Amino acid sequence: MAASISFADVSKRYPGGVAGAAAALDHASFDIAAGEFVYLTGHSGAGKSTVFRLLAAIERPTAGTVLVNQQNVGRLSPAAVPFLRRKLGLVLQDQRLLFDRTVFDNVSLPLAVAGVPPRDAAKRARAALDKVGLLGRERANPIALSGGEQQRVCIARAVVNRPVLLLADEPTANLDAEYAGVILELFRAFHDVGVTVVLATHDAALIARYPARSIALAQGRVVR
Ligand SMILES: Nc1ncnc2c1ncn2[C@@H]1O[C@H](COP(=O)(O)OP(=O)(O)O)[C@@H](O)[C@H]1O
Ligand SMILES: [Mg+2]
């Protein structure tokens, strides 16, 4: 069961935004079908991260409608937000790991929260760490890892819950080409089993490796 996405005439202005500055999103409309793999492209400041924050109900649109599986996520009650998030695999740009927990704990925590029995959770957490090439580091503290390794832990944490919708905001930004390829393969594998994947990137080389539809943003508008 994958998830569809629909942005209908969505605008977003941040309260702290500079007066007179352009909106982060400006009447943006696009649809992503259930099970589709889509790139979200555009220069820094184009509004890519804002799209993810709206999808995860971290922010609400100023105008317009954001639907995930026909559900208006801009209108969710606070109590309903955790249920939405449980369906999502989220790799955000400003995401932090818990530095007082091990790598393993960071990845298995979403499963514990979802009530997965500890033995299953441990198995799945190790499988997710294996997929991002970090099985050997499960007992490490994230602080001892490089930026790229921390990024891969975030990705393992995002996929461990078997999300129906995988949202990744520049997930390969801190990775060398080899690991960017590993991560792309991981997302492809999720796509292959029907998961909807939205990947923000401005890495043309990455897109060339796995061609898919791109939605291009410029100054908050959909330009392609
Ligand atoms: N919390 C915020 N408060 C005020 N302005 C913001 C905030 N977050 C983003 N913006 C502004 O919104 C615009 C789009 O930002 P963002 O969605 O982060 O773009 P991208 O991810 O494509 O770089 C930028 O001009 C940015 O400065
Ligand atoms: Mg961004």
Side-chain angles (χ1 to χ4, degrees), residues 73-112:
V73 296
R75 293 267 171 87
L76 286 184
S77 70
V81 171
F83 292 96
L84 168 72
R85 301 245 175 97
R86 238 170 260 177
K87 293 183 229 162
L88 307 180
L90 264 182
V91 183
L92 297 177
Q93 264 184 322
D94 47 7
Q95 221 160 9
R96 289 283 164 269
L97 295 164
L98 302 171
F99 287 127
D100 58 345
R101 306 286 192 108
T102 63
V103 164
F104 175 84
D105 287 348
N106 270 274
V107 175
S108 58
L109 211 59
L111 297 174

PDB file of all heavy atoms in Angstrom, residues 73-112:
ATOM      1  N   VAL A  73      -3.236  16.904   5.050  1.00  0.00           N
ATOM      2  CA  VAL A  73      -2.285  16.907   6.172  1.00  0.00           C
ATOM      3  C   VAL A  73      -2.055  18.305   6.742  1.00  0.00           C
ATOM      4  O   VAL A  73      -1.501  18.445   7.826  1.00  0.00           O
ATOM      5  CB  VAL A  73      -0.934  16.239   5.798  1.00  0.00           C
ATOM      6  CG1 VAL A  73      -1.140  14.762   5.469  1.00  0.00           C
ATOM      7  CG2 VAL A  73      -0.253  16.955   4.650  1.00  0.00           C
ATOM      8  N   GLY A  74      -2.487  19.324   6.015  1.00  0.00           N
ATOM      9  CA  GLY A  74      -2.399  20.691   6.539  1.00  0.00           C
ATOM     10  C   GLY A  74      -3.465  20.979   7.580  1.00  0.00           C
ATOM     11  O   GLY A  74      -3.434  21.999   8.260  1.00  0.00           O
ATOM     12  N   ARG A  75      -4.410  20.073   7.707  1.00  0.00           N
ATOM     13  CA  ARG A  75      -5.541  20.278   8.632  1.00  0.00           C
ATOM     14  C   ARG A  75      -5.580  19.225   9.736  1.00  0.00           C
ATOM     15  O   ARG A  75      -6.587  19.093  10.418  1.00  0.00           O
ATOM     16  CB  ARG A  75      -6.861  20.210   7.848  1.00  0.00           C
ATOM     17  CG  ARG A  75      -7.060  21.344   6.873  1.00  0.00           C
ATOM     18  CD  ARG A  75      -7.844  22.477   7.544  1.00  0.00           C
ATOM     19  NE  ARG A  75      -7.861  23.662   6.702  1.00  0.00           N
ATOM     20  CZ  ARG A  75      -8.756  23.892   5.763  1.00  0.00           C
ATOM     21  NH1 ARG A  75      -9.710  22.999   5.565  1.00  0.00           N
ATOM     22  NH2 ARG A  75      -8.703  24.974   5.036  1.00  0.00           N
ATOM     23  N   LEU A  76      -4.508  18.448   9.863  1.00  0.00           N
ATOM     24  CA  LEU A  76      -4.522  17.372  10.865  1.00  0.00           C
ATOM     25  C   LEU A  76      -4.548  17.942  12.272  1.00  0.00           C
ATOM     26  O   LEU A  76      -3.899  18.943  12.558  1.00  0.00           O
ATOM     27  CB  LEU A  76      -3.263  16.516  10.729  1.00  0.00           C
ATOM     28  CG  LEU A  76      -3.148  15.550   9.554  1.00  0.00           C
ATOM     29  CD1 LEU A  76      -1.855  14.758   9.693  1.00  0.00           C
ATOM     30  CD2 LEU A  76      -4.339  14.617   9.506  1.00  0.00           C
ATOM     31  N   SER A  77      -5.270  17.278  13.153  1.00  0.00           N
ATOM     32  CA  SER A  77      -5.205  17.659  14.561  1.00  0.00           C
ATOM     33  C   SER A  77      -3.846  17.205  15.096  1.00  0.00           C
ATOM     34  O   SER A  77      -3.269  16.246  14.583  1.00  0.00           O
ATOM     35  CB  SER A  77      -6.321  16.975  15.343  1.00  0.00           C
ATOM     36  OG  SER A  77      -6.053  15.590  15.428  1.00  0.00           O
ATOM     37  N   PRO A  78      -3.328  17.888  16.113  1.00  0.00           N
ATOM     38  CA  PRO A  78      -2.030  17.478  16.677  1.00  0.00           C
ATOM     39  C   PRO A  78      -2.010  16.000  17.052  1.00  0.00           C
ATOM     40  O   PRO A  78      -0.988  15.328  16.889  1.00  0.00           O
ATOM     41  CB  PRO A  78      -1.881  18.371  17.909  1.00  0.00           C
ATOM     42  CG  PRO A  78      -2.702  19.579  17.607  1.00  0.00           C
ATOM     43  CD  PRO A  78      -3.875  19.099  16.772  1.00  0.00           C
ATOM     44  N   ALA A  79      -3.132  15.471  17.513  1.00  0.00           N
ATOM     45  CA  ALA A  79      -3.183  14.059  17.917  1.00  0.00           C
ATOM     46  C   ALA A  79      -3.026  13.118  16.727  1.00  0.00           C
ATOM     47  O   ALA A  79      -2.592  11.977  16.888  1.00  0.00           O
ATOM     48  CB  ALA A  79      -4.495  13.768  18.643  1.00  0.00           C
ATOM     49  N   ALA A  80      -3.381  13.595  15.524  1.00  0.00           N
ATOM     50  CA  ALA A  80      -3.323  12.733  14.340  1.00  0.00           C
ATOM     51  C   ALA A  80      -1.942  12.736  13.690  1.00  0.00           C
ATOM     52  O   ALA A  80      -1.628  11.852  12.894  1.00  0.00           O
ATOM     53  CB  ALA A  80      -4.372  13.181  13.324  1.00  0.00           C
ATOM     54  N   VAL A  81      -1.114  13.717  14.033  1.00  0.00           N
ATOM     55  CA  VAL A  81       0.192  13.857  13.375  1.00  0.00           C
ATOM     56  C   VAL A  81       1.089  12.630  13.564  1.00  0.00           C
ATOM     57  O   VAL A  81       1.687  12.156  12.593  1.00  0.00           O
ATOM     58  CB  VAL A  81       0.892  15.165  13.822  1.00  0.00           C
ATOM     59  CG1 VAL A  81       2.336  15.213  13.328  1.00  0.00           C
ATOM     60  CG2 VAL A  81       0.119  16.380  13.302  1.00  0.00           C
ATOM     61  N   PRO A  82       1.186  12.063  14.780  1.00  0.00           N
ATOM     62  CA  PRO A  82       2.046  10.869  14.931  1.00  0.00           C
ATOM     63  C   PRO A  82       1.627   9.712  14.026  1.00  0.00           C
ATOM     64  O   PRO A  82       2.480   8.955  13.561  1.00  0.00           O
ATOM     65  CB  PRO A  82       1.873  10.489  16.402  1.00  0.00           C
ATOM     66  CG  PRO A  82       1.446  11.740  17.078  1.00  0.00           C
ATOM     67  CD  PRO A  82       0.631  12.509  16.068  1.00  0.00           C
ATOM     68  N   PHE A  83       0.333   9.580  13.745  1.00  0.00           N
ATOM     69  CA  PHE A  83      -0.130   8.493  12.872  1.00  0.00           C
ATOM     70  C   PHE A  83       0.328   8.721  11.440  1.00  0.00           C
ATOM     71  O   PHE A  83       0.686   7.787  10.735  1.00  0.00           O
ATOM     72  CB  PHE A  83      -1.659   8.362  12.961  1.00  0.00           C
ATOM     73  CG  PHE A  83      -2.115   7.867  14.295  1.00  0.00           C
ATOM     74  CD1 PHE A  83      -2.522   8.751  15.277  1.00  0.00           C
ATOM     75  CD2 PHE A  83      -2.088   6.507  14.582  1.00  0.00           C
ATOM     76  CE1 PHE A  83      -2.917   8.296  16.535  1.00  0.00           C
ATOM     77  CE2 PHE A  83      -2.479   6.035  15.823  1.00  0.00           C
ATOM     78  CZ  PHE A  83      -2.884   6.933  16.809  1.00  0.00           C
ATOM     79  N   LEU A  84       0.325   9.973  11.010  1.00  0.00           N
ATOM     80  CA  LEU A  84       0.869  10.306   9.685  1.00  0.00           C
ATOM     81  C   LEU A  84       2.361   9.976   9.644  1.00  0.00           C
ATOM     82  O   LEU A  84       2.849   9.294   8.739  1.00  0.00           O
ATOM     83  CB  LEU A  84       0.670  11.801   9.387  1.00  0.00           C
ATOM     84  CG  LEU A  84       1.448  12.330   8.174  1.00  0.00           C
ATOM     85  CD1 LEU A  84       0.828  11.808   6.882  1.00  0.00           C
ATOM     86  CD2 LEU A  84       1.491  13.859   8.168  1.00  0.00           C
ATOM     87  N   ARG A  85       3.102  10.438  10.655  1.00  0.00           N
ATOM     88  CA  ARG A  85       4.567  10.281  10.654  1.00  0.00           C
ATOM     89  C   ARG A  85       4.982   8.820  10.644  1.00  0.00           C
ATOM     90  O   ARG A  85       6.019   8.465  10.095  1.00  0.00           O
ATOM     91  CB  ARG A  85       5.163  10.961  11.896  1.00  0.00           C
ATOM     92  CG  ARG A  85       4.839  12.433  11.947  1.00  0.00           C
ATOM     93  CD  ARG A  85       6.048  13.321  11.816  1.00  0.00           C
ATOM     94  NE  ARG A  85       5.625  14.706  11.760  1.00  0.00           N
ATOM     95  CZ  ARG A  85       5.595  15.532  12.804  1.00  0.00           C
ATOM     96  NH1 ARG A  85       6.012  15.113  13.975  1.00  0.00           N
ATOM     97  NH2 ARG A  85       5.184  16.771  12.654  1.00  0.00           N
ATOM     98  N   ARG A  86       4.162   7.947  11.259  1.00  0.00           N
ATOM     99  CA  ARG A  86       4.487   6.536  11.306  1.00  0.00           C
ATOM    100  C   ARG A  86       4.509   5.906   9.919  1.00  0.00           C
ATOM    101  O   ARG A  86       5.147   4.891   9.705  1.00  0.00           O
ATOM    102  CB  ARG A  86       3.447   5.808  12.173  1.00  0.00           C
ATOM    103  CG  ARG A  86       4.093   5.077  13.334  1.00  0.00           C
ATOM    104  CD  ARG A  86       3.055   4.582  14.296  1.00  0.00           C
ATOM    105  NE  ARG A  86       2.946   5.480  15.438  1.00  0.00           N
ATOM    106  CZ  ARG A  86       2.054   5.314  16.414  1.00  0.00           C
ATOM    107  NH1 ARG A  86       1.192   4.334  16.357  1.00  0.00           N
ATOM    108  NH2 ARG A  86       2.029   6.147  17.422  1.00  0.00           N
ATOM    109  N   LYS A  87       3.770   6.506   8.976  1.00  0.00           N
ATOM    110  CA  LYS A  87       3.744   5.968   7.610  1.00  0.00           C
ATOM    111  C   LYS A  87       4.916   6.473   6.795  1.00  0.00           C
ATOM    112  O   LYS A  87       5.164   6.004   5.684  1.00  0.00           O
ATOM    113  CB  LYS A  87       2.459   6.398   6.901  1.00  0.00           C
ATOM    114  CG  LYS A  87       1.198   5.799   7.474  1.00  0.00           C
ATOM    115  CD  LYS A  87       0.015   6.258   6.635  1.00  0.00           C
ATOM    116  CE  LYS A  87      -1.101   6.783   7.516  1.00  0.00           C
ATOM    117  NZ  LYS A  87      -2.074   7.594   6.813  1.00  0.00           N
ATOM    118  N   LEU A  88       5.606   7.493   7.308  1.00  0.00           N
ATOM    119  CA  LEU A  88       6.646   8.158   6.531  1.00  0.00           C
ATOM    120  C   LEU A  88       8.027   7.672   6.919  1.00  0.00           C
ATOM    121  O   LEU A  88       8.294   7.408   8.090  1.00  0.00           O
ATOM    122  CB  LEU A  88       6.613   9.674   6.776  1.00  0.00           C
ATOM    123  CG  LEU A  88       5.289  10.403   6.583  1.00  0.00           C
ATOM    124  CD1 LEU A  88       5.493  11.890   6.880  1.00  0.00           C
ATOM    125  CD2 LEU A  88       4.767  10.207   5.176  1.00  0.00           C
ATOM    126  N   GLY A  89       8.898   7.599   5.926  1.00  0.00           N
ATOM    127  CA  GLY A  89      10.318   7.496   6.196  1.00  0.00           C
ATOM    128  C   GLY A  89      10.882   8.871   5.892  1.00  0.00           C
ATOM    129  O   GLY A  89      10.849   9.325   4.755  1.00  0.00           O
ATOM    130  N   LEU A  90      11.360   9.554   6.912  1.00  0.00           N
ATOM    131  CA  LEU A  90      11.743  10.954   6.749  1.00  0.00           C
ATOM    132  C   LEU A  90      13.246  11.118   6.914  1.00  0.00           C
ATOM    133  O   LEU A  90      13.794  10.770   7.960  1.00  0.00           O
ATOM    134  CB  LEU A  90      11.092  11.782   7.852  1.00  0.00           C
ATOM    135  CG  LEU A  90       9.791  12.521   7.611  1.00  0.00           C
ATOM    136  CD1 LEU A  90       9.440  13.289   8.882  1.00  0.00           C
ATOM    137  CD2 LEU A  90       9.895  13.461   6.430  1.00  0.00           C
ATOM    138  N   VAL A  91      13.893  11.654   5.902  1.00  0.00           N
ATOM    139  CA  VAL A  91      15.298  12.043   6.041  1.00  0.00           C
ATOM    140  C   VAL A  91      15.335  13.546   5.819  1.00  0.00           C
ATOM    141  O   VAL A  91      15.248  14.016   4.685  1.00  0.00           O
ATOM    142  CB  VAL A  91      16.197  11.336   5.011  1.00  0.00           C
ATOM    143  CG1 VAL A  91      17.658  11.701   5.239  1.00  0.00           C
ATOM    144  CG2 VAL A  91      16.022   9.821   5.073  1.00  0.00           C
ATOM    145  N   LEU A  92      15.394  14.293   6.904  1.00  0.00           N
ATOM    146  CA  LEU A  92      15.367  15.750   6.789  1.00  0.00           C
ATOM    147  C   LEU A  92      16.778  16.304   6.807  1.00  0.00           C
ATOM    148  O   LEU A  92      17.715  15.639   7.252  1.00  0.00           O
ATOM    149  CB  LEU A  92      14.536  16.348   7.924  1.00  0.00           C
ATOM    150  CG  LEU A  92      13.061  15.944   7.925  1.00  0.00           C
ATOM    151  CD1 LEU A  92      12.332  16.527   9.124  1.00  0.00           C
ATOM    152  CD2 LEU A  92      12.382  16.387   6.629  1.00  0.00           C
ATOM    153  N   GLN A  93      16.913  17.545   6.345  1.00  0.00           N
ATOM    154  CA  GLN A  93      18.246  18.148   6.253  1.00  0.00           C
ATOM    155  C   GLN A  93      18.827  18.494   7.614  1.00  0.00           C
ATOM    156  O   GLN A  93      20.025  18.425   7.807  1.00  0.00           O
ATOM    157  CB  GLN A  93      18.155  19.429   5.417  1.00  0.00           C
ATOM    158  CG  GLN A  93      18.510  19.201   3.978  1.00  0.00           C
ATOM    159  CD  GLN A  93      18.509  20.487   3.194  1.00  0.00           C
ATOM    160  OE1 GLN A  93      17.667  21.364   3.402  1.00  0.00           O
ATOM    161  NE2 GLN A  93      19.451  20.622   2.307  1.00  0.00           N
ATOM    162  N   ASP A  94      17.942  18.883   8.526  1.00  0.00           N
ATOM    163  CA  ASP A  94      18.444  19.380   9.816  1.00  0.00           C
ATOM    164  C   ASP A  94      18.248  18.330  10.912  1.00  0.00           C
ATOM    165  O   ASP A  94      18.179  18.645  12.080  1.00  0.00           O
ATOM    166  CB  ASP A  94      17.720  20.677  10.191  1.00  0.00           C
ATOM    167  CG  ASP A  94      16.211  20.562  10.009  1.00  0.00           C
ATOM    168  OD1 ASP A  94      15.727  19.435   9.729  1.00  0.00           O
ATOM    169  OD2 ASP A  94      15.522  21.585  10.142  1.00  0.00           O
ATOM    170  N   GLN A  95      18.171  17.040  10.470  1.00  0.00           N
ATOM    171  CA  GLN A  95      17.874  15.980  11.422  1.00  0.00           C
ATOM    172  C   GLN A  95      19.053  15.703  12.345  1.00  0.00           C
ATOM    173  O   GLN A  95      20.190  15.689  11.912  1.00  0.00           O
ATOM    174  CB  GLN A  95      17.540  14.712  10.655  1.00  0.00           C
ATOM    175  CG  GLN A  95      16.400  13.951  11.236  1.00  0.00           C
ATOM    176  CD  GLN A  95      15.802  13.017  10.197  1.00  0.00           C
ATOM    177  OE1 GLN A  95      16.368  12.840   9.119  1.00  0.00           O
ATOM    178  NE2 GLN A  95      14.693  12.424  10.516  1.00  0.00           N
ATOM    179  N   ARG A  96      18.748  15.450  13.610  1.00  0.00           N
ATOM    180  CA  ARG A  96      19.792  15.146  14.578  1.00  0.00           C
ATOM    181  C   ARG A  96      19.600  13.724  15.110  1.00  0.00           C
ATOM    182  O   ARG A  96      18.483  13.288  15.308  1.00  0.00           O
ATOM    183  CB  ARG A  96      19.734  16.131  15.744  1.00  0.00           C
ATOM    184  CG  ARG A  96      20.170  17.531  15.391  1.00  0.00           C
ATOM    185  CD  ARG A  96      21.673  17.645  15.290  1.00  0.00           C
ATOM    186  NE  ARG A  96      22.068  18.861  14.608  1.00  0.00           N
ATOM    187  CZ  ARG A  96      22.262  18.952  13.293  1.00  0.00           C
ATOM    188  NH1 ARG A  96      22.076  17.915  12.527  1.00  0.00           N
ATOM    189  NH2 ARG A  96      22.625  20.083  12.726  1.00  0.00           N
ATOM    190  N   LEU A  97      20.701  13.079  15.377  1.00  0.00           N
ATOM    191  CA  LEU A  97      20.657  11.787  16.066  1.00  0.00           C
ATOM    192  C   LEU A  97      20.717  12.041  17.562  1.00  0.00           C
ATOM    193  O   LEU A  97      21.092  13.124  18.005  1.00  0.00           O
ATOM    194  CB  LEU A  97      21.842  10.934  15.616  1.00  0.00           C
ATOM    195  CG  LEU A  97      21.798  10.535  14.141  1.00  0.00           C
ATOM    196  CD1 LEU A  97      23.165  10.046  13.673  1.00  0.00           C
ATOM    197  CD2 LEU A  97      20.745   9.482  13.887  1.00  0.00           C
ATOM    198  N   LEU A  98      20.349  11.003  18.330  1.00  0.00           N
ATOM    199  CA  LEU A  98      20.459  11.107  19.784  1.00  0.00           C
ATOM    200  C   LEU A  98      21.895  10.752  20.157  1.00  0.00           C
ATOM    201  O   LEU A  98      22.321   9.606  19.970  1.00  0.00           O
ATOM    202  CB  LEU A  98      19.475  10.149  20.454  1.00  0.00           C
ATOM    203  CG  LEU A  98      18.011  10.365  20.071  1.00  0.00           C
ATOM    204  CD1 LEU A  98      17.143   9.225  20.623  1.00  0.00           C
ATOM    205  CD2 LEU A  98      17.507  11.715  20.579  1.00  0.00           C
ATOM    206  N   PHE A  99      22.617  11.719  20.698  1.00  0.00           N
ATOM    207  CA  PHE A  99      24.042  11.501  20.961  1.00  0.00           C
ATOM    208  C   PHE A  99      24.298  10.815  22.293  1.00  0.00           C
ATOM    209  O   PHE A  99      25.429  10.500  22.626  1.00  0.00           O
ATOM    210  CB  PHE A  99      24.809  12.825  20.864  1.00  0.00           C
ATOM    211  CG  PHE A  99      24.947  13.299  19.443  1.00  0.00           C
ATOM    212  CD1 PHE A  99      24.556  14.574  19.079  1.00  0.00           C
ATOM    213  CD2 PHE A  99      25.476  12.465  18.467  1.00  0.00           C
ATOM    214  CE1 PHE A  99      24.682  15.004  17.770  1.00  0.00           C
ATOM    215  CE2 PHE A  99      25.606  12.890  17.153  1.00  0.00           C
ATOM    216  CZ  PHE A  99      25.200  14.162  16.800  1.00  0.00           C
ATOM    217  N   ASP A 100      23.239  10.579  23.069  1.00  0.00           N
ATOM    218  CA  ASP A 100      23.428   9.814  24.309  1.00  0.00           C
ATOM    219  C   ASP A 100      22.977   8.359  24.134  1.00  0.00           C
ATOM    220  O   ASP A 100      22.832   7.632  25.104  1.00  0.00           O
ATOM    221  CB  ASP A 100      22.673  10.484  25.468  1.00  0.00           C
ATOM    222  CG  ASP A 100      21.190  10.616  25.186  1.00  0.00           C
ATOM    223  OD1 ASP A 100      20.782  10.454  24.015  1.00  0.00           O
ATOM    224  OD2 ASP A 100      20.433  10.885  26.138  1.00  0.00           O
ATOM    225  N   ARG A 101      22.741   7.959  22.875  1.00  0.00           N
ATOM    226  CA  ARG A 101      22.362   6.577  22.559  1.00  0.00           C
ATOM    227  C   ARG A 101      23.311   6.033  21.508  1.00  0.00           C
ATOM    228  O   ARG A 101      23.929   6.796  20.771  1.00  0.00           O
ATOM    229  CB  ARG A 101      20.934   6.508  21.985  1.00  0.00           C
ATOM    230  CG  ARG A 101      19.874   7.157  22.821  1.00  0.00           C
ATOM    231  CD  ARG A 101      19.562   6.308  24.055  1.00  0.00           C
ATOM    232  NE  ARG A 101      18.332   6.808  24.683  1.00  0.00           N
ATOM    233  CZ  ARG A 101      17.174   6.163  24.653  1.00  0.00           C
ATOM    234  NH1 ARG A 101      17.076   5.007  24.046  1.00  0.00           N
ATOM    235  NH2 ARG A 101      16.121   6.664  25.246  1.00  0.00           N
ATOM    236  N   THR A 102      23.369   4.711  21.427  1.00  0.00           N
ATOM    237  CA  THR A 102      24.211   4.099  20.396  1.00  0.00           C
ATOM    238  C   THR A 102      23.550   4.243  19.021  1.00  0.00           C
ATOM    239  O   THR A 102      22.370   4.577  18.905  1.00  0.00           O
ATOM    240  CB  THR A 102      24.385   2.586  20.659  1.00  0.00           C
ATOM    241  OG1 THR A 102      23.094   1.979  20.581  1.00  0.00           O
ATOM    242  CG2 THR A 102      25.013   2.319  22.016  1.00  0.00           C
ATOM    243  N   VAL A 103      24.321   3.950  17.997  1.00  0.00           N
ATOM    244  CA  VAL A 103      23.809   3.908  16.635  1.00  0.00           C
ATOM    245  C   VAL A 103      22.628   2.934  16.563  1.00  0.00           C
ATOM    246  O   VAL A 103      21.575   3.238  15.993  1.00  0.00           O
ATOM    247  CB  VAL A 103      24.939   3.496  15.657  1.00  0.00           C
ATOM    248  CG1 VAL A 103      24.388   3.065  14.313  1.00  0.00           C
ATOM    249  CG2 VAL A 103      25.938   4.647  15.510  1.00  0.00           C
ATOM    250  N   PHE A 104      22.812   1.751  17.160  1.00  0.00           N
ATOM    251  CA  PHE A 104      21.750   0.741  17.162  1.00  0.00           C
ATOM    252  C   PHE A 104      20.467   1.295  17.793  1.00  0.00           C
ATOM    253  O   PHE A 104      19.373   1.131  17.246  1.00  0.00           O
ATOM    254  CB  PHE A 104      22.217  -0.510  17.922  1.00  0.00           C
ATOM    255  CG  PHE A 104      21.152  -1.546  18.084  1.00  0.00           C
ATOM    256  CD1 PHE A 104      20.906  -2.469  17.071  1.00  0.00           C
ATOM    257  CD2 PHE A 104      20.377  -1.586  19.234  1.00  0.00           C
ATOM    258  CE1 PHE A 104      19.901  -3.425  17.216  1.00  0.00           C
ATOM    259  CE2 PHE A 104      19.370  -2.542  19.379  1.00  0.00           C
ATOM    260  CZ  PHE A 104      19.139  -3.458  18.363  1.00  0.00           C
ATOM    261  N   ASP A 105      20.600   1.949  18.956  1.00  0.00           N
ATOM    262  CA  ASP A 105      19.420   2.507  19.633  1.00  0.00           C
ATOM    263  C   ASP A 105      18.736   3.553  18.767  1.00  0.00           C
ATOM    264  O   ASP A 105      17.507   3.617  18.702  1.00  0.00           O
ATOM    265  CB  ASP A 105      19.814   3.145  20.969  1.00  0.00           C
ATOM    266  CG  ASP A 105      20.147   2.104  22.026  1.00  0.00           C
ATOM    267  OD1 ASP A 105      19.862   0.911  21.797  1.00  0.00           O
ATOM    268  OD2 ASP A 105      20.706   2.499  23.068  1.00  0.00           O
ATOM    269  N   ASN A 106      19.533   4.397  18.111  1.00  0.00           N
ATOM    270  CA  ASN A 106      18.954   5.428  17.258  1.00  0.00           C
ATOM    271  C   ASN A 106      18.076   4.812  16.164  1.00  0.00           C
ATOM    272  O   ASN A 106      17.029   5.352  15.825  1.00  0.00           O
ATOM    273  CB  ASN A 106      20.060   6.288  16.619  1.00  0.00           C
ATOM    274  CG  ASN A 106      20.423   7.476  17.476  1.00  0.00           C
ATOM    275  OD1 ASN A 106      19.791   8.530  17.391  1.00  0.00           O
ATOM    276  ND2 ASN A 106      21.441   7.317  18.322  1.00  0.00           N
ATOM    277  N   VAL A 107      18.531   3.695  15.610  1.00  0.00           N
ATOM    278  CA  VAL A 107      17.799   3.081  14.495  1.00  0.00           C
ATOM    279  C   VAL A 107      16.612   2.253  14.994  1.00  0.00           C
ATOM    280  O   VAL A 107      15.568   2.206  14.349  1.00  0.00           O
ATOM    281  CB  VAL A 107      18.763   2.239  13.625  1.00  0.00           C
ATOM    282  CG1 VAL A 107      18.000   1.492  12.535  1.00  0.00           C
ATOM    283  CG2 VAL A 107      19.822   3.141  13.006  1.00  0.00           C
ATOM    284  N   SER A 108      16.760   1.622  16.159  1.00  0.00           N
ATOM    285  CA  SER A 108      15.674   0.741  16.625  1.00  0.00           C
ATOM    286  C   SER A 108      14.583   1.502  17.374  1.00  0.00           C
ATOM    287  O   SER A 108      13.477   0.981  17.542  1.00  0.00           O
ATOM    288  CB  SER A 108      16.227  -0.392  17.495  1.00  0.00           C
ATOM    289  OG  SER A 108      16.925   0.122  18.592  1.00  0.00           O
ATOM    290  N   LEU A 109      14.862   2.728  17.783  1.00  0.00           N
ATOM    291  CA  LEU A 109      13.885   3.496  18.563  1.00  0.00           C
ATOM    292  C   LEU A 109      12.521   3.640  17.885  1.00  0.00           C
ATOM    293  O   LEU A 109      11.490   3.438  18.542  1.00  0.00           O
ATOM    294  CB  LEU A 109      14.470   4.879  18.891  1.00  0.00           C
ATOM    295  CG  LEU A 109      14.003   5.486  20.215  1.00  0.00           C
ATOM    296  CD1 LEU A 109      14.357   4.567  21.377  1.00  0.00           C
ATOM    297  CD2 LEU A 109      14.627   6.855  20.421  1.00  0.00           C
ATOM    298  N   PRO A 110      12.460   3.957  16.577  1.00  0.00           N
ATOM    299  CA  PRO A 110      11.134   4.080  15.944  1.00  0.00           C
ATOM    300  C   PRO A 110      10.326   2.783  16.039  1.00  0.00           C
ATOM    301  O   PRO A 110       9.103   2.818  16.116  1.00  0.00           O
ATOM    302  CB  PRO A 110      11.444   4.395  14.476  1.00  0.00           C
ATOM    303  CG  PRO A 110      12.846   4.893  14.463  1.00  0.00           C
ATOM    304  CD  PRO A 110      13.544   4.261  15.635  1.00  0.00           C
ATOM    305  N   LEU A 111      11.024   1.645  16.054  1.00  0.00           N
ATOM    306  CA  LEU A 111      10.330   0.361  16.146  1.00  0.00           C
ATOM    307  C   LEU A 111       9.802   0.143  17.554  1.00  0.00           C
ATOM    308  O   LEU A 111       8.689  -0.342  17.742  1.00  0.00           O
ATOM    309  CB  LEU A 111      11.279  -0.771  15.753  1.00  0.00           C
ATOM    310  CG  LEU A 111      11.786  -0.714  14.310  1.00  0.00           C
ATOM    311  CD1 LEU A 111      12.827  -1.794  14.075  1.00  0.00           C
ATOM    312  CD2 LEU A 111      10.637  -0.844  13.338  1.00  0.00           C
ATOM    313  N   ALA A 112      10.599   0.514  18.550  1.00  0.00           N
ATOM    314  CA  ALA A 112      10.161   0.392  19.939  1.00  0.00           C
ATOM    315  C   ALA A 112       8.914   1.253  20.147  1.00  0.00           C
ATOM    316  O   ALA A 112       7.928   0.806  20.753  1.00  0.00           O
ATOM    317  CB  ALA A 112      11.281   0.832  20.882  1.00  0.00           C
TER     318      ALA A 112
END
